[in-house]
């Protein structure tokens, strides 16, 4: 991985993907294969889209990729909440608060980028 030490959202989503991988392994150990695959796909997709946005071709492309990352974060939050509320699934612990933090940062990035793009257009 390239050095993105100064990019908080890249670091956050990379660590989150690593944590989601561990959680998916817990789910697999409980023989919750489909659920594990679903949470793994959406949870890792957040960081993949954030990383892809770093090489965006335009401000609009950047915003679009960050919006996709936010959608994936929303989906991941849903799966984690299901697991949290279920009697028979492992509890996601701090993953829920982590994805909420990621969503806040992503939404702020999107809003700031939109307002900057709008200001440049005027």
């Amino acid at each position: 991985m390239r050095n993105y030490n100064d990019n908080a959202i890249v670091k956050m989503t990379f660590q989150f993907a690593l944590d989601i991988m561990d959680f998916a392994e817990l789910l697999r150990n409980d023989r919750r294969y489909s659920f594990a695959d679903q949470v793994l796909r959406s949870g890792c997709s957040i960081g993949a889209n954030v990383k892809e946005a770093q090489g965006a071709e335009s401000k609009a492309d950047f915003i679009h990729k960050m919006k996709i990352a936010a959608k994936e974060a929303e989906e991941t939050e849903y799966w984690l909440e299901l697991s949290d509320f279920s009697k028979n699934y492992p509890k996601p612990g701090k993953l829920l608060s982590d994805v909420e933090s990621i969503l806040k940062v992503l939404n702020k990035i999107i809003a700031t980028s939109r307002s900057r793009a709008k200001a440049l257009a005027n």
Side-chain angles (χ1 to χ4, degrees), residues 62-78:
F62 176 82
I63 292 167
H64 177 71
K65 286 172 178 28
M66 293 304 249
K67 285 173 63 178
I68 293 170
K71 287 179 180 184
E72 293 293 340
E74 292 280 356
E75 180 183 343
T76 303
E77 182 180 45
Y78 175 77

Side-chain angles (χ1 to χ4, degrees), residues 80-121:
L80 293 174
E81 286 173 342
L82 281 175
S83 189
D84 194 41
F85 280 88
S86 173
K87 295 176 196 164
N88 302 316
Y89 278 62
K91 301 301 176 202
K94 82 177 204 69
L95 286 172
L96 265 173
S97 62
D98 289 349
V99 77
E100 289 167 5
S101 296
I102 288 168
L103 272 165
K104 286 178 186 174
V105 173
L106 286 171
N107 288 325
K108 183 65 175 169
I109 290 169
I110 292 165
T112 301
S113 296
R114 279 183 174 158
S115 66
R116 286 184 182 162
K118 211 178 235 186
L120 288 174

